[in-house]
Amino acid sequence: MPSTKDKIVQLADEHIRKNGYNAFSYSDIAKTLKIKNAAVHYHFPAKTDLAEAVIHWHIENFENFKERLREKDELLQVKTFLNFYNSIQLSGKICAVGAFATDWNSMPQSAQDQVRIFSELIIDWLTEVLEAGKEKKLLTFDAPPRTEALKIITNMFAATQLARITNSDDFADVKNAVIEELTI
Amino acid sequence: MPSTKDKIVQLADEHIRKNGYNAFSYSDIAKTLKIKNAAVHYHFPAKTDLAEAVIHWHIENFENFKERLREKDELLQVKTFLNFYNSIQLSGKICAVGAFATDWNSMPQSAQDQVRIFSELIIDWLTEVLEAGKEKKLLTFDAPPRTEALKIITNMFAATQLARITNSDDFADVKNAVIEELTI
DNA sequence: AAAGGTACTTATCAATAGGTAAGTAATCAA
DNA sequence: TTGATTACTTACCTATTGATAAGTACCTTT
């Protein structure tokens, strides 16, 4: 069973990615876990500590994700990456990077630094996967690998946000178009 | 000189797109305009009224934007659209749709409806421009027009957010890659 | 058995949030 | 010239926010 501390991080993550960083409070979490407000402060003295922990959790998750995919071929790696965003969209959340980007200017630098590390981690990983996939003739694209990675990431990233507003077909359309373009 | 009411809308827009919907308060606006809190409530009784006015303002702006570009060729229309996001990025803001998408679940339905109208307006416009541009052989792309429009919009949309986190070159790279891909 | 840490609760706080009711000064229409 | 309308201010209110200090119950370790 996860510890209270872990539960707080998970709940905070859900709140942040469902309602935004500034729309959740300590009591939201306390009520759900049926503990007192101060108990949350015991584990995370300030809200920014909690924000940092959430991003740290994402960084660890992504490292695991990378590790699990290491031996697979590049097309499958990209597809799995896209499916990951698909599941985010289905659960009504958005990407953590997007959630923090909106509230960027109301976040302390320590948390900003963590988000920056997380973002670069994703971009660098996808850049390398695309590069390797192109060399092995598994993937096709014309832009430089990092630019292509940015294009795909921004597609996924914003599609989860847009799908909230329009309808979920839009997400699937974009996702399928990305795969098609890479495999022509 | 703009009326107080207009100034409030403009300031609210700036706050929303710089810090997020939930990160700004009536007193932020009141202080800047050197009026009292209650004066803002006089023009916009509830915060959601202000949010609606902000989106309404964007809808009007976009209608003007469309009108100004109507006679131009499709490539120029797309380029102008992309440059518009470029200026958003340079001013440290993000797209209004993105700002509201993050805080979507903490917004009242009346405001959600307005955002939905605004989003569809942009998507429909770009879809038509792309379609016409392809017919005239000014633009090339393989996906259905709406999907291609979604791809470009999500690129711009999230690139302004990502550029906050990484660096501004990323935005230009994505923008240029989008144009190149459409004009091969 | 004593001491110390861990994981909380109780109680409290100042600041800010969004919001309202009542008053006022200036303009405008009849 | 009166009455209404507009654009505010003054003065409040309640709820919530993030946060802290002090206490407590329960394990460990020595």
Coordinates of all heavy atoms in Angstrom, one line a residue, chain D:
Chain D
dT1 P -33.6 75.7 -12.0 OP1 -33.9 76.8 -11.2 OP2 -32.4 74.9 -12.0 O5' -34.9 74.8 -12.3 C5' -36.0 74.7 -11.5 C4' -36.3 73.2 -11.3 O4' -36.1 72.5 -12.6 C3' -35.4 72.5 -10.4 O3' -36.1 71.5 -9.8 C2' -34.3 72.0 -11.2 C1' -35.1 71.5 -12.4 N1 -34.4 71.4 -13.7 C2 -34.9 70.5 -14.7 O2 -35.9 69.9 -14.5 N3 -34.1 70.4 -15.8 C4 -33.0 71.1 -16.1 O4 -32.4 71.0 -17.2 C5 -32.5 72.0 -15.1 C7 -31.2 72.8 -15.3 C6 -33.2 72.1 -14.0
dT2 P -36.3 71.3 -8.3 OP1 -37.4 72.2 -7.7 OP2 -35.0 71.3 -7.7 O5' -36.9 69.8 -8.4 C5' -38.0 69.5 -9.3 C4' -37.7 68.3 -10.1 O4' -36.7 68.5 -11.1 C3' -37.2 67.1 -9.3 O3' -38.2 66.1 -9.4 C2' -35.9 66.7 -10.0 C1' -36.0 67.3 -11.3 N1 -34.7 67.6 -12.1 C2 -34.6 67.1 -13.4 O2 -35.4 66.4 -13.9 N3 -33.4 67.5 -14.0 C4 -32.4 68.3 -13.5 O4 -31.4 68.5 -14.1 C5 -32.6 68.8 -12.1 C7 -31.6 69.7 -11.5 C6 -33.8 68.4 -11.5
dG3 P -38.2 64.9 -8.4 OP1 -39.6 64.6 -8.0 OP2 -37.1 65.0 -7.4 O5' -37.7 63.7 -9.5 C5' -38.3 63.6 -10.7 C4' -37.6 62.6 -11.6 O4' -36.4 63.2 -12.2 C3' -37.1 61.4 -10.8 O3' -37.4 60.2 -11.5 C2' -35.6 61.6 -10.6 C1' -35.3 62.4 -11.9 N9 -34.1 63.3 -11.7 C8 -33.8 64.1 -10.6 N7 -32.8 64.9 -10.8 C5 -32.4 64.6 -12.1 C6 -31.2 65.1 -12.8 O6 -30.4 65.9 -12.5 N1 -31.2 64.5 -14.1 C2 -32.1 63.5 -14.6 N2 -31.8 63.1 -15.8 N3 -33.1 63.1 -13.9 C4 -33.2 63.6 -12.7
dA4 P -37.3 58.8 -10.9 OP1 -38.5 58.1 -11.1 OP2 -36.7 58.9 -9.6 O5' -36.2 58.2 -11.9 C5' -36.4 58.4 -13.3 C4' -35.0 58.2 -14.0 O4' -34.2 59.4 -13.7 C3' -34.3 57.0 -13.7 O3' -34.0 56.3 -14.9 C2' -33.0 57.5 -13.0 C1' -32.9 58.9 -13.6 N9 -32.1 59.8 -12.8 C8 -32.4 60.2 -11.5 N7 -31.5 61.1 -11.0 C5 -30.7 61.3 -12.1 C6 -29.5 62.2 -12.2 N6 -29.1 63.0 -11.3 N1 -28.9 62.2 -13.4 C2 -29.3 61.3 -14.4 N3 -30.4 60.5 -14.4 C4 -31.0 60.6 -13.2
dT5 P -33.7 54.8 -15.0 OP1 -34.5 54.3 -16.1 OP2 -33.8 54.3 -13.7 O5' -32.2 54.9 -15.5 C5' -31.9 55.7 -16.6 C4' -30.4 56.0 -16.6 O4' -30.0 57.0 -15.7 C3' -29.5 54.7 -16.3 O3' -28.7 54.5 -17.4 C2' -28.7 55.2 -15.1 C1' -28.7 56.7 -15.2 N1 -28.5 57.5 -14.0 C2 -27.5 58.4 -13.9 O2 -26.8 58.7 -14.9 N3 -27.4 59.1 -12.7 C4 -28.2 59.0 -11.6 O4 -28.0 59.6 -10.6 C5 -29.2 57.9 -11.7 C7 -30.1 57.6 -10.5 C6 -29.3 57.2 -12.9
dT6 P -27.7 53.3 -17.5 OP1 -27.6 52.9 -18.9 OP2 -28.0 52.4 -16.4 O5' -26.3 54.0 -17.1 C5' -25.9 55.2 -17.9 C4' -24.5 55.6 -17.4 O4' -24.7 56.3 -16.1 C3' -23.5 54.5 -17.1 O3' -22.3 54.9 -17.7 C2' -23.4 54.4 -15.6 C1' -23.7 55.9 -15.2 N1 -24.3 56.1 -13.8 C2 -23.8 57.2 -13.1 O2 -22.9 57.9 -13.4 N3 -24.4 57.3 -11.8 C4 -25.4 56.6 -11.3 O4 -25.9 56.9 -10.2 C5 -25.9 55.5 -12.1 C7 -27.0 54.7 -11.6 C6 -25.3 55.4 -13.3
dA7 P -21.1 53.9 -17.8 OP1 -20.3 54.3 -19.0 OP2 -21.6 52.5 -17.5 O5' -20.3 54.4 -16.5 C5' -19.6 55.6 -16.5 C4' -18.9 55.8 -15.1 O4' -19.9 55.9 -14.1 C3' -18.0 54.6 -14.7 O3' -16.8 55.2 -14.2 C2' -18.8 53.9 -13.6 C1' -19.5 55.1 -13.0 N9 -20.7 54.8 -12.2 C8 -21.6 53.8 -12.4 N7 -22.5 53.8 -11.4 C5 -22.2 54.8 -10.6 C6 -22.8 55.3 -9.4 N6 -23.9 54.8 -8.9 N1 -22.2 56.4 -8.8 C2 -21.1 56.9 -9.4 N3 -20.4 56.5 -10.5 C4 -21.0 55.5 -11.0
dC8 P -15.5 54.2 -14.1 OP1 -14.3 55.1 -13.8 OP2 -15.4 53.4 -15.3 O5' -15.8 53.3 -12.9 C5' -15.1 53.4 -11.7 C4' -15.8 54.4 -10.7 O4' -17.2 54.3 -10.8 C3' -15.4 54.2 -9.3 O3' -14.1 54.7 -9.0 C2' -16.5 54.9 -8.6 C1' -17.7 54.8 -9.5 N1 -18.8 53.9 -9.1 C2 -19.5 54.2 -7.9 O2 -19.2 55.2 -7.3 N3 -20.6 53.4 -7.5 C4 -20.9 52.4 -8.3 N4 -21.9 51.6 -7.9 C5 -20.2 52.0 -9.5 C6 -19.2 52.8 -9.8
dT9 P -13.2 54.1 -7.9 OP1 -11.9 54.7 -7.9 OP2 -13.4 52.7 -7.9 O5' -13.9 54.6 -6.5 C5' -14.0 56.0 -6.2 C4' -14.7 56.2 -4.8 O4' -16.0 55.6 -4.8 C3' -13.9 55.5 -3.7 O3' -13.8 56.4 -2.6 C2' -14.8 54.3 -3.4 C1' -16.2 54.7 -3.8 N1 -17.1 53.6 -4.3 C2 -18.2 53.4 -3.6 O2 -18.6 54.0 -2.6 N3 -19.0 52.4 -4.1 C4 -18.7 51.6 -5.2 O4 -19.5 50.7 -5.6 C5 -17.5 52.0 -5.9 C7 -17.1 51.2 -7.2 C6 -16.7 52.9 -5.4
dT10 P -12.8 56.1 -1.4 OP1 -12.1 57.3 -1.0 OP2 -12.0 54.9 -1.8 O5' -13.8 55.6 -0.2 C5' -15.0 56.3 -0.1 C4' -15.9 55.5 1.0 O4' -16.7 54.6 0.3 C3' -15.1 54.8 2.1 O3' -15.7 55.1 3.3 C2' -15.3 53.3 1.7 C1' -16.7 53.3 1.0 N1 -16.9 52.3 0.0 C2 -18.1 51.6 0.0 O2 -19.0 51.8 0.9 N3 -18.3 50.6 -1.0 C4 -17.4 50.3 -2.0 O4 -17.6 49.5 -2.8 C5 -16.1 51.1 -1.9 C7 -15.1 50.9 -3.0 C6 -16.0 52.0 -1.0
dA11 P -15.0 54.7 4.7 OP1 -15.3 55.7 5.7 OP2 -13.6 54.3 4.4 O5' -15.9 53.3 5.0 C5' -17.3 53.3 4.8 C4' -17.8 51.9 5.0 O4' -17.8 51.3 3.7 C3' -17.0 51.0 5.9 O3' -17.9 50.4 6.8 C2' -16.3 50.0 5.0 C1' -17.4 49.9 3.9 N9 -16.9 49.4 2.6 C8 -15.7 49.6 2.0 N7 -15.5 48.9 0.9 C5 -16.7 48.2 0.8 C6 -17.1 47.3 -0.2 N6 -16.4 46.9 -1.3 N1 -18.3 46.7 0.0 C2 -19.0 47.0 1.1 N3 -18.7 47.9 2.1 C4 -17.5 48.4 1.8
dC12 P -17.3 49.9 8.3 OP1 -18.1 50.5 9.3 OP2 -15.9 49.9 8.2 O5' -17.8 48.4 8.3 C5' -17.8 47.8 7.2 C4' -18.7 46.8 6.7 O4' -18.4 46.8 5.3 C3' -18.4 45.4 7.2 O3' -19.5 44.8 7.8 C2' -18.1 44.6 5.9 C1' -18.3 45.5 4.7 N1 -17.1 45.4 3.8 C2 -17.3 44.7 2.6 O2 -18.4 44.1 2.4 N3 -16.3 44.6 1.7 C4 -15.2 45.3 1.9 N4 -14.2 45.2 1.0 C5 -15.0 46.1 3.1 C6 -16.0 46.1 4.0
dC13 P -19.3 43.7 8.9 OP1 -20.4 43.7 9.9 OP2 -17.9 43.7 9.3 O5' -19.5 42.4 8.0 C5' -20.5 42.3 7.0 C4' -20.4 41.1 6.2 O4' -19.6 41.4 5.0 C3' -19.7 39.9 6.9 O3' -20.6 38.9 7.1 C2' -18.5 39.6 6.0 C1' -18.7 40.3 4.7 N1 -17.5 40.8 4.1 C2 -17.1 40.2 2.8 O2 -17.8 39.4 2.3 N3 -15.9 40.7 2.3 C4 -15.2 41.6 2.9 N4 -14.1 42.0 2.3 C5 -15.6 42.1 4.2 C6 -16.7 41.7 4.7
dT14 P -20.3 37.8 8.2 OP1 -21.5 37.6 9.0 OP2 -19.0 38.1 8.9 O5' -20.0 36.5 7.3 C5' -20.8 36.3 6.1 C4' -20.1 35.4 5.1 O4' -19.0 36.1 4.5 C3' -19.4 34.2 5.8 O3' -19.8 33.0 5.1 C2' -18.0 34.5 5.9 C1' -17.8 35.4 4.6 N1 -16.7 36.3 4.5 C2 -15.9 36.4 3.4 O2 -16.1 35.7 2.4 N3 -14.9 37.3 3.4 C4 -14.6 38.2 4.5 O4 -13.6 39.0 4.4 C5 -15.4 38.0 5.6 C7 -15.1 38.9 6.8 C6 -16.4 37.1 5.6
dA15 P -19.4 31.6 5.6 OP1 -20.6 30.8 5.4 OP2 -18.8 31.7 7.0 O5' -18.3 31.2 4.6 C5' -18.5 31.5 3.2 C4' -17.2 31.1 2.5 O4' -16.2 32.2 2.5 C3' -16.5 29.8 3.0 O3' -16.2 29.0 1.9 C2' -15.2 30.4 3.7 C1' -15.0 31.7 2.9 N9 -14.4 32.7 3.7 C8 -14.7 33.1 5.0 N7 -14.0 34.1 5.5 C5 -13.1 34.4 4.4 C6 -12.0 35.3 4.3 N6 -11.7 36.2 5.3 N1 -11.3 35.3 3.2 C2 -11.6 34.4 2.2 N3 -12.6 33.5 2.2 C4 -13.3 33.5 3.4
dT16 P -15.6 27.6 2.1 OP1 -16.2 26.8 1.0 OP2 -15.6 27.2 3.5 O5' -14.1 27.9 1.6 C5' -13.8 28.6 0.5 C4' -12.4 29.0 0.5 O4' -12.1 30.1 1.4 C3' -11.4 27.9 0.8 O3' -10.6 27.6 -0.3 C2' -10.6 28.5 2.0 C1' -10.8 30.0 1.8 N1 -10.6 30.8 3.1 C2 -9.7 31.8 3.1 O2 -9.0 32.0 2.2 N3 -9.7 32.5 4.3 C4 -10.5 32.3 5.4 O4 -10.3 33.0 6.4 C5 -11.4 31.2 5.3 C7 -12.3 30.9 6.5 C6 -11.5 30.5 4.2
dT17 P -9.5 26.5 -0.3 OP1 -9.7 25.8 -1.6 OP2 -9.7 25.7 1.0 O5' -8.1 27.2 -0.3 C5' -8.0 28.4 -1.1 C4' -6.7 29.2 -0.7 O4' -7.1 30.0 0.5 C3' -5.6 28.3 -0.2 O3' -4.7 28.0 -1.3 C2' -5.0 29.0 0.9 C1' -5.9 30.1 1.3 N1 -6.4 30.1 2.7 C2 -5.8 31.0 3.6 O2 -5.0 31.8 3.3 N3 -6.3 31.0 4.9 C4 -7.3 30.1 5.3 O4 -7.7 30.1 6.5 C5 -7.8 29.2 4.4 C7 -8.9 28.2 4.8 C6 -7.4 29.2 3.1
dG18 P -3.8 26.7 -1.1 OP1 -3.4 26.4 -2.5 OP2 -4.5 25.8 -0.3 O5' -2.5 27.3 -0.3 C5' -1.8 28.4 -0.8 C4' -0.9 28.9 0.3 O4' -1.8 29.3 1.4 C3' 0.1 27.9 0.8 O3' 1.4 28.6 1.0 C2' -0.5 27.5 2.2 C1' -1.2 28.7 2.6 N9 -2.3 28.4 3.5 C8 -3.3 27.5 3.4 N7 -4.2 27.4 4.3 C5 -3.7 28.4 5.2 C6 -4.3 28.8 6.5 O6 -5.3 28.4 7.1 N1 -3.5 29.9 7.0 C2 -2.4 30.4 6.5 N2 -1.8 31.4 7.2 N3 -1.9 30.0 5.3 C4 -2.6 29.0 4.7
dA19 P 2.6 27.7 1.6 OP1 3.8 28.4 1.1 OP2 2.4 26.3 1.2 O5' 2.4 27.9 3.1 C5' 2.6 29.3 3.7 C4' 2.4 29.2 5.2 O4' 1.0 28.8 5.5 C3' 3.2 28.2 5.9 O3' 4.3 28.8 6.6 C2' 2.3 27.5 6.9 C1' 1.0 28.3 6.8 N9 -0.2 27.5 7.0 C8 -0.7 26.6 6.2 N7 -1.8 26.0 6.6 C5 -2.0 26.7 7.8 C6 -3.0 26.5 8.8 N6 -4.1 25.7 8.7 N1 -2.9 27.3 9.9 C2 -1.9 28.2 10.0 N3 -0.9 28.4 9.2 C4 -1.0 27.6 8.1
dT20 P 5.4 28.0 7.3 OP1 6.7 28.8 7.2 OP2 5.3 26.6 6.9 O5' 4.9 28.1 8.8 C5' 4.6 29.4 9.4 C4' 4.1 29.2 10.8 O4' 2.8 28.6 10.8 C3' 5.0 28.2 11.7 O3' 5.3 28.9 12.9 C2' 4.1 27.0 11.9 C1' 2.7 27.6 11.8 N1 1.6 26.7 11.4 C2 0.5 26.6 12.2 O2 0.4 27.2 13.3 N3 -0.4 25.7 11.8 C4 -0.4 24.9 10.7 O4 -1.3 24.1 10.4 C5 0.8 25.1 9.9 C7 1.0 24.3 8.6 C6 1.7 25.9 10.3
dA21 P 6.5 28.4 13.8 OP1 7.6 29.4 13.8 OP2 6.9 27.0 13.3 O5' 5.9 28.2 15.2 C5' 4.8 29.1 15.6 C4' 4.0 28.4 16.8 O4' 3.0 27.6 16.3 C3' 4.9 27.5 17.7 O3' 4.6 27.7 19.0 C2' 4.6 26.1 17.2 C1' 3.1 26.3 16.8 N9 2.6 25.3 15.8 C8 3.3 24.9 14.6 N7 2.6 24.1 13.9 C5 1.4 23.9 14.6 C6 0.3 23.1 14.4 N6 0.1 22.3 13.3 N1 -0.7 23.2 15.3 C2 -0.6 23.9 16.4 N3 0.5 24.7 16.7 C4 1.4 24.7 15.8
dA22 P 5.4 27.1 20.2 OP1 5.6 28.2 21.2 OP2 6.5 26.3 19.6 O5' 4.4 26.1 20.9 C5' 3.0 26.4 21.0 C4' 2.2 25.2 21.3 O4' 1.9 24.5 20.0 C3' 2.9 24.1 22.2 O3' 2.0 23.6 23.1 C2' 3.3 23.0 21.2 C1' 2.1 23.1 20.2 N9 2.4 22.6 18.9 C8 3.6 22.7 18.1 N7 3.5 22.0 17.0 C5 2.3 21.4 17.0 C6 1.6 20.6 16.0 N6 2.2 20.2 14.9 N1 0.4 20.2 16.3 C2 -0.1 20.5 17.5 N3 0.4 21.3 18.5 C4 1.6 21.7 18.1
dG23 P 2.5 22.8 24.4 OP1 2.0 23.4 25.6 OP2 3.9 22.4 24.2 O5' 1.6 21.4 24.1 C5' 0.2 21.5 24.0 C4' -0.3 20.3 23.3 O4' 0.3 20.3 21.9 C3' 0.0 18.9 23.9 O3' -1.2 18.2 24.1 C2' 0.9 18.2 22.9 C1' 0.5 18.9 21.6 N9 1.5 18.8 20.5 C8 2.7 19.4 20.4 N7 3.3 19.2 19.3 C5 2.5 18.3 18.6 C6 2.6 17.7 17.4 O6 3.6 17.8 16.6 N1 1.5 16.9 17.0 C2 0.4 16.7 17.8 N2 -0.5 15.9 17.4 N3 0.3 17.3 19.0 C4 1.3 18.1 19.3
dT24 P -1.1 17.0 25.1 OP1 -2.4 17.0 25.9 OP2 0.2 16.9 25.8 O5' -1.2 15.7 24.1 C5' -2.3 15.6 23.2 C4' -2.1 14.4 22.3 O4' -1.1 14.7 21.3 C3' -1.6 13.2 23.0 O3' -2.3 12.0 22.5 C2' -0.1 13.1 22.6 C1' -0.2 13.6 21.2 N1 1.1 14.1 20.6 C2 1.4 13.6 19.3 O2 0.7 12.9 18.7 N3 2.6 14.1 18.8 C4 3.4 15.0 19.5 O4 4.5 15.4 18.9 C5 3.0 15.5 20.8 C7 3.9 16.4 21.5 C6 1.9 15.0 21.3
dA25 P -2.9 10.9 23.6 OP1 -4.3 11.3 23.9 OP2 -1.9 10.7 24.6 O5' -3.0 9.6 22.7 C5' -3.3 9.7 21.3 C4' -2.3 8.9 20.5 O4' -1.1 9.6 20.2 C3' -1.9 7.6 21.1 O3' -2.2 6.5 20.3 C2' -0.4 7.8 21.3 C1' 0.0 8.7 20.2 N9 1.1 9.6 20.3 C8 1.5 10.3 21.4 N7 2.6 11.0 21.2 C5 3.0 10.6 20.0 C6 4.2 11.0 19.2 N6 5.1 11.9 19.6 N1 4.3 10.5 18.0 C2 3.3 9.6 17.5 N3 2.2 9.2 18.2 C4 2.1 9.8 19.4
dC26 P -2.0 5.0 20.7 OP1 -3.3 4.3 20.2 OP2 -1.7 5.0 22.1 O5' -0.8 4.5 19.8 C5' -0.8 4.8 18.4 C4' 0.7 4.6 17.9 O4' 1.5 5.8 18.3 C3' 1.4 3.4 18.4 O3' 1.8 2.7 17.3 C2' 2.5 3.9 19.3 C1' 2.8 5.2 18.6 N1 3.6 6.2 19.4 C2 4.7 6.8 18.8 O2 5.1 6.5 17.7 N3 5.4 7.7 19.6 C4 5.0 8.0 20.8 N4 5.8 8.9 21.5 C5 3.8 7.5 21.4 C6 3.1 6.6 20.6
dC27 P 1.7 1.0 17.4 OP1 0.5 0.6 16.6 OP2 1.8 0.6 18.8 O5' 3.0 0.5 16.7 C5' 4.3 0.7 17.3 C4' 5.2 1.4 16.5 O4' 5.4 2.8 17.0 C3' 6.6 0.8 16.4 O3' 7.0 0.7 15.1 C2' 7.5 1.6 17.3 C1' 6.8 3.0 17.3 N1 6.9 3.7 18.6 C2 7.9 4.6 18.9 O2 8.8 4.8 18.0 N3 8.0 5.2 20.1 C4 7.1 5.0 21.0 N4 7.2 5.6 22.2 C5 6.0 4.0 20.8 C6 5.9 3.4 19.6
dT28 P 7.9 -0.6 14.6 OP1 7.5 -0.9 13.2 OP2 7.8 -1.7 15.6 O5' 9.4 -0.1 14.6 C5' 10.0 0.2 15.9 C4' 11.1 1.1 15.7 O4' 11.0 2.2 16.7 C3' 12.4 0.5 16.0 O3' 13.4 1.0 15.1 C2' 12.7 0.8 17.5 C1' 12.0 2.2 17.6 N1 11.3 2.4 19.0 C2 11.8 3.3 19.8 O2 12.8 4.0 19.6 N3 11.1 3.4 21.0 C4 10.0 2.7 21.5 O4 9.5 2.9 22.6 C5 9.5 1.7 20.5 C7 8.3 0.9 20.9 C6 10.2 1.6 19.3
dT29 P 14.7 0.0 14.9 OP1 15.2 0.3 13.5 OP2 14.4 -1.4 15.3 O5' 15.8 0.6 15.9 C5' 16.1 2.0 15.9 C4' 16.7 2.4 17.3 O4' 15.7 2.4 18.3 C3' 17.8 1.5 17.8 O3' 19.0 2.3 17.9 C2' 17.3 1.1 19.2 C1' 16.3 2.1 19.5 N1 15.2 1.7 20.5 C2 15.1 2.5 21.7 O2 15.8 3.4 22.0 N3 14.1 2.0 22.5 C4 13.2 1.0 22.3 O4 12.3 0.7 23.1 C5 13.4 0.3 21.0 C7 12.5 -0.9 20.7 C6 14.4 0.7 20.2
dT30 P 20.4 1.7 18.2 OP1 21.4 2.5 17.4 OP2 20.3 0.2 18.0 O5' 20.6 1.9 19.7 C5' 20.6 3.3 20.3 C4' 20.5 3.3 21.8 O4' 19.2 2.8 22.2 C3' 21.5 2.3 22.5 O3' 22.3 3.1 23.4 C2' 20.7 1.3 23.2 C1' 19.3 2.0 23.4 N1 18.2 1.1 23.5 C2 17.3 1.3 24.6 O2 17.4 2.1 25.4 N3 16.2 0.4 24.6 C4 15.9 -0.6 23.7 O4 15.0 -1.3 23.8 C5 16.9 -0.7 22.6 C7 16.7 -1.8 21.6 C6 17.9 0.1 22.6

